[in-house]
């Protein structure tokens, strides 16, 4: 109603009513001059050039008033979302405190920091630097927003609209109130905007200060790191056979306690900063634990072969918690952002603890005692690895502590025997690896290279322990997969009942082994203080731009392209594998099988993967077109067959003349379709061999598909009887044999007299069975039944006979034949039989 009233008032003002029957025409300028007066109190906010500009019309004033009111509200909403000054202030204070502590620590005289501590400082400064960069981006973004708001507010302030007031506010009260509110909002917004700009500028200054301090620390860290790396091969302390007194203000035990307290605080701080990841990790552990407990309980109680299934399980049945932790702890590191050495050491220690429980179950008492001693040395070296200073007093402890692992690794590589030869080979190799590193550490310690000896010794023992843990990690995961598959198998035809555990294990085990190798490599480089150097070198090598002619590339882009292509091929083949397993074992109709349609899915995945890989590797499309052009030339010369098979595969996928599980004949080959591939298809012959048939041959040659429409099969049996037999009786006997359960009643079995042979009357027996899978068995069964029925009914199955008549032979040949006949003719009485009289 207010809008309509305002519109009516404005309309009457434009028309101008001066009395009944009289109309006065008013110009816009006269309206402004008659209704408005300039407000000098607002001149301080308005530019002088604007004040001197030409007077606006009434229409301009009203439209601008509405527009500026909306803009003022938008500015107000933007300013109502200020920076979280409390959070930023706390973070900046924490950054400054950390930087101050590090600065004080490195400036303390008499401190000899080790390479591990320098790498730890580098990790801390890099972590602060990344968070500082994130804050800087947010602050800069906010400052940019405030600058835009200030520009927008200046546009409103510099408009002459704000210098006009109605002479009589009762004429257009809504407009007067709106303009008054607009002026008040502008004054308030101007002050609030200025205040927020000052706060944001202060944060920018603090962040710049932190950046400068971090640059100074990074410079110090880089210098000390290079010095320590250069001094690794130099003599630090006396040779072992030399006498030298090392000042020892504190014992190794006291230093260890301080180191544990310090690193425990670091660990607590890290976990506090990553609460979301910690909660997710605990949830995954609880979920997997209760899931496997439920699976084992239901397999044991419900499955017919539950005991046999659980007999194959070594870990989850007795120690579900330890098995769960062993399978998840190596993967939890991926949930945390930039894990520190303290956190990695904590995870490895937990892995060793839970793996110890599983080792106790699997190996003998002697091997378990050796493992326990190795665990104790591992704990000592892990604590020693967290020292931040060079503590030469621990030299003798490291020397003595490396002797037993050195002895144990030598024993394990020569005398360890298990039933699993792969396990034996793995343990032999990893023991040999530890033996080499411990030997290097022992020699370096003897010759006064203390830092090198400690790094190599700790890396060798920790690498050995984690390798054993990761070995159990892979085995426990495979055991969990086995239990889940058995749990989900049902009597009915469900998808999970088609899985072949051996095939799944073969595919998954490779993936988890690859992940285990990556985890072990990362941890080993971290413990050997080589991670940063290796990562920097690899990044420099992979990201360096190289040229072939005018085309540039990097090794990193090539590797990324290959990885993505391999991943797409792996995904496509995995989908094809599961689809083929499902179709081979599925007894439902042919139209419900995926069959050759999987080929289209594989092609789609590979094509999408190719373009994603090309985009990720920054390969220009024009280069792809060049490659395709080169391929087209190759097709014209030598790739016709390959392209023919590829196109034939696509045609097979669309037309679907064959499906996985079909019984087919191609030329002289016959068998069951096992796979429809991109270039060729696989047929499993009835003798067990697998035949690879190019897809082009499936289209170009005569193809017989016994199961295209249905699985029924007609069987033909031919049988002959003697000429003296009763033919009606023969027919009725055969029909009686065919009256059995597995022989279909429709189509009706037929017994046909087919031929008068030389020695028999031949009958042709035709009957149908429900599925082609049993036709050979049924054919043999019917033939055996016919033979038995003929014997019972005195029906003779003749065989060929010949009568030979000899006429006009020469006399000498006739005499010879008679003599031979006399010699071969059996006597009436056996030679060995005696008469009763004798």
């Amino acid at each position: 109603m207010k809008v309509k009233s305002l519109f009516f008032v404005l309309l009457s003002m434009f028309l101008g009513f001066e009395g009944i029957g009289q109309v006065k025409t008013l110009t816009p300028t006269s309206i402004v001059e008659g209704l408005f007066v300039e407000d000098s109190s607002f001149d301080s906010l308005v530019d002088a050039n604007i004040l001197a500009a030409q007077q606006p019309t009434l229409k301009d004033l009203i439209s601008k008033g509405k527009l500026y009111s909306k803009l003022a509200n938008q500015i107000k909403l933007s300013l109502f979302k200020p920076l979280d000054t409390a959070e930023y202030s706390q973070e900046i204070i924490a950054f400054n405190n950390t930087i101050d502590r590090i600065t004080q620590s490195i400036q303390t005289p008499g401190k000899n920091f080790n390479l591990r501590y320098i790498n730890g400082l580098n990790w801390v400064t890099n972590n602060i630097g990344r968070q500082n960069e994130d804050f800087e981006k947010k602050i800069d973004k906010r400052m940019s927003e405030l600058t835009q708001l200030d520009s927008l507010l200046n546009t409103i302030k510099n408009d002459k609209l704000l210098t006009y007031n109605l002479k009589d506010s009762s004429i257009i009260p809504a407009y007067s109130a709106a303009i008054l509110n607009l002026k008040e909002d502008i004054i308030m917004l101007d002050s609030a905007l200025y205040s927020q700009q000052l706060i944001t500028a202060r944060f920018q200054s603090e962040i710049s200060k932190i950046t400068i301090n971090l640059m100074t620390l990074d410079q110090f860290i880089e210098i000390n790191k290079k010095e320590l790396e250069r001094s690794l091969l130099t003599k630090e302390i006396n040779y072992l056979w030399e006498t030298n007194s090392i000042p020892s203000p504190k014992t190794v035990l006291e230093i260890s306690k301080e180191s544990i307290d310090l690193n425990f605080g670091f660990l607590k701080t890290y976990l506090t900063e990553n609460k979301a990841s910690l909660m997710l990790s605990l949830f995954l552990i609880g979920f997997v634990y209760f899931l496997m407990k439920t699976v084992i309980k239901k397999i044991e109680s419900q499955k017919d072969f539950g005991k046999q299934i659980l007999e194959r399980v070594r870990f989850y049945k007795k120690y579900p918690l330890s098995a769960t932790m062993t399978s998840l702890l190596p993967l939890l590191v991926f949930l945390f952002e930039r894990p520190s050495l303290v956190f990695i050491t904590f995870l490895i220690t937990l892995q060793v603890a839970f793996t110890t429980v599983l080792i106790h179950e699997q190996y003998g008492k002697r091997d378990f005692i050796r493992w326990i001693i190795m665990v104790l040395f591992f704990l000592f070296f892990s604590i020693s690895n967290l020292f931040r200073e060079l503590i030469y007093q621990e030299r003798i402890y490291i020397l003595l502590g490396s002797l037993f692992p050195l002895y144990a690794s030598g024993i394990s590589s020569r005398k360890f025997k298990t039933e699993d030869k792969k396990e034996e080979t793995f343990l032999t190799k990893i023991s040999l690896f530890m033996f080499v590193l411990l030997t290097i550490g022992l020699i370096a310690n003897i010759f006064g290279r203390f830092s090198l000896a400690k790094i190599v010794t700790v890396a060798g023992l920790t690498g050995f322990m984690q390798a054993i843990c990761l070995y159990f990690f892979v085995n426990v995961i495979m055991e969990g997969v086995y239990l889940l598959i058995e749990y989900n198998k049902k009597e009915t035809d469900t998808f999970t009942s088609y899985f072949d555990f051996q095939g799944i294990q073969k595919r998954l085990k490779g993936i988890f082994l690859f992940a285990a190798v990556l985890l072990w490599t990362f941890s080993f480089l971290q413990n050997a203080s080589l991670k940063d150097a290796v990562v920097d070198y690899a990044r420099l090598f992979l990201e360096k731009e190289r040229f072939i002619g005018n085309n540039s590339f990097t090794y990193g882009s090539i590797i990324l392209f290959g990885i993505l292509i391999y991943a797409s091929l792996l995904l496509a083949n995995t989908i094809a594998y599961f689809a083929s397993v499902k179709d081979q074992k599925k007894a439902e109709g042919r139209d419900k099988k995926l069959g050759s349609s999987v080929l289209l899915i594989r092609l789609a995945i590979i094509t999408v993967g190719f373009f994603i890989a090309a985009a990720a590797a920054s390969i220009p499309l024009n280069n792809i077109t060049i490659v395709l052009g080169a391929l087209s030339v190759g097709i014209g010369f030598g790739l016709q067959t390959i392209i023919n098979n590829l196109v034939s595969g696509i045609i097979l996928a669309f037309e679907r003349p064959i499906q996985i599980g079909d019984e087919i004949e191609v030329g002289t080959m016959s068998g069951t379709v096992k796979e429809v591939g991109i270039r060729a298809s696989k047929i499993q012959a009835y003798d067990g061999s697998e035949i690879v048939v190019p897809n082009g041959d499936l289209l170009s040659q005569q193809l017989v598909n016994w199961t295209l429409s249905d699985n029924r099969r007609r069987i033909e049996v031919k049988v002959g009887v003697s000429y003296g037999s009763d033919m009606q009786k023969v027919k009725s006997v055969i029909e009686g044999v065919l009256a059995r359960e597995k022989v279909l009643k429709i189509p009706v079995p037929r017994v046909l007299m087919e031929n008068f042979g030389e020695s028999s009357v031949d009958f042709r027996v035709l009957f149908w069975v429900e599925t082609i899978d049993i036709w050979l068995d049924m054919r043999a069964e019917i033939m055996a039944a016919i033979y038995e029925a003929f014997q019972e009914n005195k029906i003779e199955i003749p065989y060929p006979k010949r009568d030979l008549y000899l006429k006009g032979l020469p006399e000498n040949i006739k005499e010879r034949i008679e003599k031979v006949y006399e010699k071969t003719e059996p006597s009436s009485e056996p030679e060995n039989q005696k008469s009763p009289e004798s």
Side-chain angles (χ1 to χ4, degrees):
M1 292 299 294
K2 291 182 178 180
V3 175
K4 292 183 177 180
S5 301
L6 179 60
F7 176 78
F8 179 79
V9 171
L10 293 176
L11 182 61
S12 62
M13 290 172 60
F14 276 103
L15 295 176
F17 290 94
E18 196 172 272
I20 299 175
Q22 291 183 337
V23 178
K24 180 180 179 181
T25 303
L26 298 176
T27 64
T29 302
S30 63
I31 294 173
V32 173
E33 290 177 351
L35 296 177
F36 291 89
V37 62
E38 292 188 3
D39 182 10
S40 60
S41 64
F42 214 79
D43 291 351
S44 59
L45 296 177
V46 183
D47 195 308
N49 296 326
I50 302 298
L51 292 173
Q54 184 180 0
Q55 289 183 341
T57 63
L58 178 61
K59 183 179 179 181
D60 293 337
L61 294 177
I62 294 174
S63 61
K64 283 184 178 181
K66 293 181 179 179
L67 175 62
Y68 291 160
S69 296
K70 292 180 180 179
L71 293 178
N73 287 330
Q74 292 179 3
I75 296 173
K76 188 184 298 183
L77 292 175
S78 298
L79 293 178
F80 280 163
K81 300 176 183 178
L83 290 172
D84 189 353
T85 55
E87 178 187 358
Y88 289 171
S89 298
Q90 291 177 359
E91 293 292 340
I92 288 174
I93 291 173
F95 291 164
N96 286 324
N97 291 337
T98 303
I99 292 172
D100 291 340
R101 286 199 302 269
I102 294 175
T103 304
Q104 292 175 3
S105 175
I106 62 179
Q107 291 177 353
T108 303
K111 295 285 187 180
N112 294 322
F113 298 110
N114 56 27
L115 188 58
R116 207 285 306 171
Y117 181 68
I118 294 297
N119 288 329
L121 291 182
N122 189 27
W123 180 88
V124 173
T125 55
N126 288 338
N127 192 29
I128 294 176
R130 270 188 301 275
Q131 295 184 50
N132 193 55
E133 287 179 1
D134 293 339
F135 286 159
E136 187 176 12
K137 290 178 181 178
K138 294 178 181 178
I139 295 296
D140 290 344
K141 181 181 178 181
R142 183 59 178 173
M143 181 59 79
S144 177
E145 292 175 355
L146 293 177
T147 302
Q148 293 178 0
L149 294 177
D150 185 60
S151 175
L152 189 60
L153 187 60
N154 286 331
T155 301
I156 301 174
K157 286 162 50 178
N158 292 330
D159 197 289
K160 199 170 181 180
L161 168 71
L162 301 178
T163 63
Y164 288 97
N165 286 334
L166 282 169
K167 292 180 180 180
D168 187 359
S169 60
S170 62
I171 299 177
I172 315 178
Y175 174 81
S176 299
I179 294 298
L180 181 61
N181 290 335
L182 177 61
K183 291 179 180 181
E184 293 175 353
D185 288 344
I186 289 174
I187 296 173
M188 182 272 292
L189 292 175
D190 188 62
S191 175
L193 184 59
Y194 178 72
S195 175
Q196 289 201 22
Q197 285 177 326
L198 288 178
I199 295 173
T200 307
R202 181 172 64 83
F203 278 117
Q204 283 183 324
S205 176
E206 292 290 337
I207 289 174
S208 298
K209 179 183 175 182
I210 292 173
T211 303
I212 294 172
N213 292 334
L214 286 175
M215 291 175 63
T216 304
L217 281 178
D218 288 340
Q219 186 177 7
F220 168 82
I221 291 171
E222 189 65 25
I223 293 173
N224 282 268
K225 186 177 180 180
K226 289 182 179 179
E227 290 180 356
L228 288 172
E229 289 174 350
R230 284 195 298 266
S231 65
L232 283 177
L233 298 178
T234 61
K235 181 182 176 183
E236 299 176 74
I237 54 178
N238 61 296
Y239 296 133
L240 188 63
W241 59 84
E242 295 178 346
T243 58
N244 186 23
S245 60
I246 301 173
S248 178
K250 296 181 181 180
T251 64
V252 174
L253 185 60
E254 293 174 340
I255 296 171
S256 299
K257 185 177 182 304
E258 292 180 358
S259 177
I260 291 174
D261 294 338
L262 179 64
N263 287 281
F264 180 77
F266 289 158
L267 177 63
K268 184 177 179 181
T269 302
Y270 180 79
L271 293 177
T272 303
E273 293 176 351
N274 294 270
K275 286 183 180 179
S277 299
L278 179 61
M279 297 303 295
L280 179 59
S281 301
L282 295 175
F283 171 76
L284 288 176
I285 292 172
F287 174 78
V288 174
Y289 171 74
F290 287 109
L291 173 65
M292 299 311 298
K293 287 276 290 184
T294 304
V295 166
I296 293 173
K297 186 178 295 185
K298 290 192 175 181
I299 287 177
E300 191 173 12
S301 61
Q302 297 180 5
K303 290 292 181 179
D304 296 334
F305 302 99
K307 292 184 178 180
Q308 291 85 340
I309 293 172
L310 294 179
E311 284 177 358
R312 304 174 186 174
V313 176
R314 296 185 296 175
F315 306 120
Y316 271 109
K317 182 180 179 181
K318 290 187 177 181
Y319 306 104
L321 179 60
S322 297
T324 300
M325 297 296 289
T326 302
S327 63
L328 289 181
L329 281 173
L331 301 176
L332 295 182
V333 69
F334 295 108
L335 299 179
F336 292 83
E337 183 179 2
R338 285 191 59 82
S340 62
L341 179 60
V342 178
F343 181 69
I344 293 175
T345 304
F346 174 70
L347 287 182
I348 295 176
T349 304
L350 290 179
Q351 292 176 42
V352 171
F354 288 106
T355 304
T356 301
V357 179
L358 304 183
I359 290 177
H360 175 264
E361 173 65 22
Q362 186 170 357
Y363 298 103
K365 184 177 180 180
R366 180 176 297 179
D367 292 329
F368 180 70
I369 292 175
R370 289 176 184 169
W371 173 260
I372 290 296
I373 298 175
M374 294 287 287
V375 170
L376 295 177
F377 282 107
F378 162 77
L379 294 175
F380 168 74
F381 283 121
S382 297
I383 295 173
S384 175
N385 194 37
L386 297 176
F387 292 170
R388 62 177 181 173
E389 299 179 43
L390 289 172
I391 310 298
Y392 295 119
Q393 293 84 358
E394 61 175 338
R395 176 188 188 181
I396 189 65
Y397 298 102
I398 292 178
L399 181 65
L400 295 176
S402 62
L403 292 179
F404 180 81
L406 190 64
Y407 167 77
S409 62
I411 291 295
S412 300
S413 61
R414 291 183 289 107
K415 295 185 178 181
F416 184 79
K417 302 295 181 182
T418 64
E419 297 179 358
D420 190 349
K421 294 302 179 183
K422 292 183 179 180
E423 180 178 320
E424 185 177 323
T425 302
F426 165 78
L427 187 61
T428 301
K429 291 181 178 179
I430 196 65
S431 299
L432 181 62
F433 174 79
M434 183 179 69
F435 181 83
V436 172
L437 289 182
L438 291 179
T439 303
I440 295 173
L442 185 65
I443 295 173
N445 199 343
I446 293 174
F447 286 93
R449 277 68 177 175
F450 174 74
S451 297
L452 178 63
K454 182 175 179 179
I455 290 174
V456 173
T457 303
V458 171
L461 182 58
T462 306
F464 173 81
M465 301 296 286
Q466 191 180 19
I468 300 298
C469 294
L470 290 174
Y471 174 80
F472 277 87
F473 155 76
V474 175
N475 288 336
V476 171
I477 284 186
M478 291 298 101
E479 187 175 283
V481 172
Y482 169 73
L483 286 173
L484 290 175
I485 292 175
E486 292 295 337
Y487 170 71
N488 285 301
K489 279 185 178 180
K490 298 179 181 178
E491 301 298 330
T492 56
D493 290 333
T494 57
F495 183 69
T496 53
S497 63
Y498 307 129
F499 290 169
D500 179 13
F501 174 70
Q502 297 298 329
I504 296 174
Q505 186 185 45
K506 184 178 179 181
R507 291 173 180 272
L508 289 181
K509 193 168 186 177
I511 296 174
F512 285 109
L513 281 175
F514 179 73
V517 171
L518 287 182
L519 286 170
W520 184 88
T521 304
F522 172 81
S523 177
F524 175 77
L525 293 176
Q526 185 88 350
N527 287 305
S529 300
L530 295 174
K531 183 177 73 70
D532 293 337
V534 172
V535 170
D536 291 340
Y537 177 79
R539 182 182 293 113
L540 180 64
F541 177 78
L542 295 176
E543 294 180 356
K544 183 179 179 180
E545 193 171 12
R546 307 171 194 275
F547 294 90
I548 297 180
N550 295 327
N551 298 318
S552 63
F553 70 97
T554 63
Y555 288 140
S557 61
I558 294 176
I559 293 175
L560 179 61
F561 181 82
I563 290 174
L564 292 176
I565 289 295
Y566 176 77
S568 62
L569 289 173
L570 181 64
L571 178 61
N573 292 334
T574 301
I575 293 175
Y577 167 77
F578 286 122
S580 62
V581 170
K582 177 181 177 181
D583 285 352
Q584 286 176 10
K585 297 185 179 181
K586 196 166 187 178
E588 296 180 1
R590 186 176 185 274
D591 56 338
K592 294 183 179 181
K593 296 181 179 181
L594 292 174
S596 56
S597 301
V598 178
L599 176 61
L600 298 177
I601 300 175
R602 293 180 65 185
L603 287 175
I605 293 174
I606 293 173
T607 303
V608 172
F610 174 79
F611 284 105
I612 291 176
S618 302
I619 299 177
L621 291 178
N622 56 351
N623 292 347
I624 297 177
T625 56
I626 293 174
V627 174
L628 294 177
L631 286 176
S632 63
V633 176
I635 292 170
F637 287 99
L639 299 178
Q640 300 99 325
T641 304
I642 296 176
I643 298 301
N644 174 40
N645 292 327
L646 176 62
V647 175
S648 298
I650 297 175
I651 294 173
L652 289 174
F654 278 105
E655 292 187 356
R656 305 179 74 179
I658 61 173
Q659 293 281 65
I660 295 174
D662 283 356
E663 305 287 338
I664 66 170
E665 292 181 9
V666 183
T668 59
M669 300 172 291
S670 62
T672 305
V673 179
K674 187 176 182 181
E675 178 184 343
V676 180
I678 297 176
R679 186 195 65 84
S681 300
K682 291 181 181 179
I683 300 175
Q684 188 168 21
Y686 299 120
D687 60 0
S689 63
E690 291 189 1
I691 306 171
V692 180
V693 182
N695 290 332
D697 293 347
L698 294 176
L699 294 181
S700 61
Q701 297 185 18
Q702 181 178 358
L703 174 66
V704 178
N705 190 337
W706 291 97
T707 55
L708 181 62
S709 300
D710 54 52
N711 288 334
R712 295 186 304 171
R713 165 104 187 222
R714 193 189 72 175
I715 301 175
E716 178 180 354
V717 176
K718 292 184 178 181
V719 61
V721 297
S722 62
Y723 276 94
S725 303
D726 184 350
M727 299 306 163
Q728 291 297 326
K729 183 179 180 181
V730 170
K731 185 175 181 181
S732 63
V733 168
I734 295 176
E735 289 176 346
V737 170
L738 295 177
R740 56 186 60 213
E741 182 180 357
K742 294 183 180 180
V743 177
L744 295 181
K745 304 300 185 292
I746 298 176
V748 179
R750 304 184 68 185
V751 180
L752 305 173
M753 185 182 291
E754 183 182 41
N755 186 35
F756 295 105
E758 294 182 359
S759 59
S760 65
V761 178
D762 298 329
F763 283 84
R764 186 183 183 193
V765 182
L766 302 175
F767 61 95
W768 290 78
V769 291
E770 181 67 29
T771 173
I772 194 173
D773 296 334
I774 63 172
W775 80 276
L776 284 175
D777 296 334
M778 285 303 301
R779 186 174 185 272
E781 181 180 334
I782 294 298
M783 290 180 67
I786 290 175
Y787 180 79
E788 293 175 358
F790 279 6
Q791 281 189 331
E792 292 175 359
N793 291 275
K794 309 298 183 184
I795 298 174
E796 180 185 0
I797 301 176
Y799 53 89
K801 295 180 181 179
R802 295 289 185 271
D803 292 331
L804 184 61
Y805 297 92
L806 300 177
K807 293 171 50 177
L809 290 175
E811 189 67 27
N812 57 347
I813 294 178
K814 185 176 180 181
E815 292 177 357
R816 290 179 182 178
I817 292 175
E818 290 177 352
K819 290 180 180 181
V820 172
Y821 179 77
E822 291 176 356
K823 291 180 179 180
T824 57
E825 185 177 7
S827 60
S828 58
E829 184 178 340
E831 184 176 346
N832 296 331
Q833 184 177 354
K834 297 181 179 181
S835 62
E837 292 79 4
S838 62

